[in-house]
Amino acid sequence: MNEQIVILDFGSQYTQVIARRVRECNVYSTILHFNTPATAIAKLKPSGIILSGGPSSVYAADAPLPDKNLFELGVPVLGICFGVQLLAQFLGGKVEKGLKREYGKGTLTVKDSSCALFAKLPKSLQVWNSHGDKLTKLPRDFKPVAITENSEYAAIENRARKFFGLQFHPEVVHTPRGKEILANFVHGVCGCGKSWTMRNYLDQAVEEIRAQVGKEKVILGLSGGVDSSVAAALLHKAIGDQLTCIFVNNGLLRAREAEVVQEVFGRNFKLKLQYENSAALFLKKLKGVTDPEKKRKIIGRTFIDVFQAATQRAGKAKFLAQGTLYPDVIESVPIAGNPAALIKSHHNVGGLPKNMKFALVEPLKNLFKDEVRQLGLELGLPKEIVWRQPFPGPGLAVRVLGEVTPSRCEILRNADAIVVEEMKASGLYYKIWQSFAVLLPVRSVGVMGDERTYDYTIAIRAVESQDGMTADWVKLPYDLLEKLASRIINEVKGVNRCVFDITSKPPGTIEWE
Ligand code: XMP
């Protein structure tokens, strides 16, 4: 078993960020629901426990509270924000509503540099706060080690029991040295080494897959996206030809997408790739349909039919592999004010029906996206796939507004290829969340040479985002926008106008449908 840090989730929007920061220290971390029994936690033999923040007040009647035996496990504990208030309240301190909410940047002054959390750090640190409640009395045997303008107990410790508390958030980027504080906790206090690397995980995952699958056959739906691609490469390494990957061309792919998948997986990796060209079928089913939700449903259903038929052709397999990631399996804590709890997407209509009679192999289900990319690089996948921007399951259908016809798909595909090419040339493609073209259902008048035109409009969309839940439009340089517009209008037949989308999410969405 990996050395690990257990993070108890009290509904903070940053719980996953804490888990990622710990893993960036090369220490494995697991997120558990706040009320997980102490005995279950003990079974995992954690090297340390972190109590997350959360939107509640520890003194509220419905406050989420952990098993009190947690503090008797003899394991180091770090409470963050709500977590420190909880720690204090449980151990005999006092938490009250603060006179002033402490929110945003602050300066932390370390009063006792011998505290292990602040080893090798300066006495003055920029930190980020977000709390209304305040610790007003320390529990017995605790002492303050750092203060901020508004808080005399910004960091506290009980050195003998290895209990620590931070009122600010060390996990967020606005606390620039916060990762070092967390590293001090996991390495310095909890004594963890640095064994969690994707190099190590690769060997471990290969063993686990072999143990689970034995001599059976596995099928995987390969979309060419990061997750299914990494899952495919990993499984192939583990079980070679026992794996068959099914790639469905739904006619809604971007330029060269089908070719790249065939090149990388078929020719380079030499894995068993079953290529299903179902473009004509999807486009036939989409004929005359303009409603966005209807499009999604048709595509989802058609995909299932095509995939089911393809699995039969692939031969009898016991297992279906999926590129499920850790954030998909964490049980989110349903506490009012925790945006993570509200996020259930309308997107996954392409999921497979539960009645498909396969056992599941999910070799990425303990990994965050950045780890999956790292693993992809370890497996030798090209940057083009590992750092691919997200692409919606229904593909270009939700970017061809109005009816999806072969010719309108072709217009969008050509315009989109120019956006991708120029974004890559500018160096921005791999720095932002998504950049793409959208074909609008309006036509407008233009002049080209001596001719009057009446053609389509392309919208250019470029957004920055952490997870797709919220997004800001990217201020692309004017000369890049100019180049994009000029190339699209000159090179793509049927387009005579380009516009740039400057809507953020919310209130807009990233895609136009
Ligand atoms: P929206 O448009 O909802 O998109 O702001 C958020 C993120 O999700 C992607 N997206 C989809 N992904 N199936 C998917 O697999 C879909 O139907 C779908 N719709 C949107 C979108 O590209 C963005 O990254």
Side-chain angles (χ1 to χ4, degrees):
M1 202 190 301
N2 291 306
E3 269 181 336
Q4 67 178 310
I5 298 290
V6 161
I7 297 156
L8 284 193
D9 182 19
F10 294 91
S12 165
Q13 57 180 312
Y14 301 121
T15 304
Q16 291 191 27
V17 184
I18 302 174
R20 274 159 54 188
R21 293 286 169 270
V22 169
R23 292 188 186 193
E24 285 165 15
C25 298
N26 300 109
V27 177
Y28 186 58
S29 62
T30 310
I31 296 174
L32 296 181
H33 198 271
F34 66 84
N35 63 11
T36 308
T39 45
I41 296 173
K43 278 200 188 115
L44 298 175
K45 299 197 171 54
S47 306
I49 296 171
I50 298 180
L51 312 177
S52 84
S56 318
S57 280
V58 286
Y59 49 76
D62 58 353
L65 301 177
D67 181 340
K68 61 180 186 319
N69 293 326
L70 186 72
F71 301 106
E72 307 305 326
L73 295 177
V75 174
V77 177
L78 169 65
I80 294 175
C81 196
F82 174 83
V84 63
Q85 296 168 3
L86 199 77
L87 184 78
Q89 169 110 339
F90 262 78
L91 300 176
K94 195 158 185 197
V95 177
E96 291 175 278
K97 196 163 177 50
L99 288 179
K100 227 166 71 188
R101 194 177 154 72
E102 201 178 8
Y103 183 83
K105 274 185 200 161
T107 304
L108 184 85
T109 306
V110 181
K111 291 287 183 193
D112 180 354
S113 298
S114 69
C115 171
L117 290 189
F118 299 102
K120 298 203 183 115
L121 283 167
K123 277 195 174 337
S124 175
L125 290 164
Q126 184 190 314
V127 296
W128 194 81
N129 289 293
S130 172
H131 60 104
D133 290 348
K134 205 173 162 171
L135 212 63
T136 50
K137 184 180 149 237
L138 286 187
R140 221 166 53 131
D141 301 329
F142 272 77
K143 58 181 189 134
V145 286
I147 59 168
T148 57
E149 295 89 331
N150 286 313
S151 175
E152 52 187 316
Y153 303 134
I156 61 170
E157 74 169 346
N158 176 332
R159 199 169 290 190
R161 294 185 76 185
K162 298 191 179 172
F163 287 170
F164 299 84
L166 301 173
Q167 189 55 81
F168 57 93
H169 288 269
E171 70 277 22
V172 301
V173 287
H174 313 297
T175 301
R177 314 275 314 246
K179 199 175 139 188
E180 290 162 76
I181 299 175
L182 289 171
N184 281 337
F185 178 69
V186 300
H187 300 305
V189 175
C190 303
C192 295
K194 295 188 175 183
S195 59
W196 178 250
T197 62
M198 285 304 111
R199 173 71 262 166
N200 292 345
Y201 179 74
L202 179 53
D203 298 335
Q204 183 185 328
V206 163
E207 288 308 310
E208 284 171 8
I209 292 166
R210 286 182 186 153
Q212 184 188 1
V213 170
K215 299 233 170 310
E216 300 290 342
K217 289 203 183 324
V218 180
I219 289 203
L220 175 123
L222 178 64
S223 72
V226 182
D227 308 339
S228 67
S229 295
V230 174
L234 176 59
L235 281 152
H236 179 65
K237 190 173 177 71
I239 56 169
D241 272 358
Q242 284 165 259
L243 171 74
T244 302
C245 292
I246 297 173
F247 177 76
V248 176
N249 183 346
N250 58 8
L252 306 164
L253 303 174
R254 289 163 294 180
R256 279 195 31 82
E257 214 166 341
E259 287 85 346
V260 169
V261 166
Q262 285 172 296
E263 252 164 52
V264 170
F265 293 99
R267 284 196 276 287
N268 298 358
F269 274 76
K270 300 208 177 356
L271 57 69
K272 252 199 231 165
L273 186 66
Q274 186 173 319
Y275 177 67
E276 298 286 329
N277 192 348
S278 311
L281 175 68
F282 278 86
L283 290 167
K284 192 170 125 213
K285 298 237 176 194
L286 286 167
K287 201 164 183 310
V289 181
T290 54
D291 178 73
E293 284 317 298
K294 276 201 189 122
K295 286 185 191 175
R296 274 201 171 77
K297 287 210 171 79
I298 291 171
I299 294 165
R301 276 200 298 266
T302 310
F303 180 83
I304 290 170
D305 292 345
V306 168
F307 192 79
Q308 262 174 335
T311 56
Q312 272 156 27
R313 272 195 299 282
K316 218 171 153 37
K318 180 170 176 193
F319 291 98
L320 179 73
Q322 289 188 335
T324 316
L325 303 194
Y326 193 43
D328 306 326
V329 298
I330 301 169
E331 184 194 351
S332 61
V333 173
I335 290 175
N338 172 14
L342 305 176
I343 298 143
K344 287 288 164 218
S345 72
H346 58 285
H347 297 152
N348 295 327
V349 287
L352 294 169
K354 301 250 178 305
N355 64 3
M356 281 186 83
K357 299 212 170 5
F358 289 110
L360 287 183
V361 190
E362 297 176 301
L364 311 179
K365 74 166 189 295
N366 293 325
L367 304 185
F368 286 109
K369 191 87 175 188
D370 35 359
E371 294 172 321
V372 171
R373 293 193 209 276
Q374 202 54 48
L375 183 61
L377 294 175
E378 287 288 345
L379 285 157
L381 284 172
K383 181 176 174 189
E384 191 179 358
I385 285 189
V386 168
W387 287 101
R388 224 177 82 134
Q389 291 180 352
F391 184 60
L396 297 185
V398 291
R399 295 181 182 169
V400 170
L401 307 200
E403 191 183 356
V404 185
T405 64
S407 63
R408 300 187 75 222
C409 281
E410 193 55 24
I411 293 178
L412 177 59
R413 197 171 280 126
N414 293 336
D416 189 69
I418 294 173
V419 175
V420 173
E421 191 182 318
E422 291 300 336
M423 288 298 293
K424 284 188 177 166
S426 74
L428 285 168
Y429 180 88
Y430 293 111
K431 293 196 180 128
I432 69 172
W433 177 258
Q434 270 173 307
S435 47
F436 54 87
V438 180
L439 177 65
L440 306 193
V442 285
R443 293 207 282 170
S444 70
V445 173
V447 273
M448 268 179 152
D450 293 335
E451 260 180 67
R452 186 175 175 281
T453 56
Y454 187 56
D455 277 334
Y456 285 117
T457 301
I458 285 285
I460 297 165
R461 183 80 166 131
V463 295
E464 224 145 25
S465 173
Q466 290 298 317
D467 47 19
M469 250 94 75
T470 60
D472 289 318
W473 64 279
V474 178
K475 282 94 196 153
L476 294 183
Y478 279 172
D479 52 353
L480 175 58
L481 284 172
E482 189 175 17
K483 194 162 185 191
L484 284 172
S486 130
R487 277 197 64 192
I488 289 171
I489 293 164
N490 278 303
E491 295 174 34
V492 183
K493 213 163 159 342
V495 177
N496 68 351
R497 194 176 292 269
C498 263
V499 294
F500 183 44
D501 183 353
I502 53 168
T503 320
S504 287
K505 173 184 180 176
T509 51
I510 295 176
E511 305 289 345
W512 277 48
E513 281 194 343

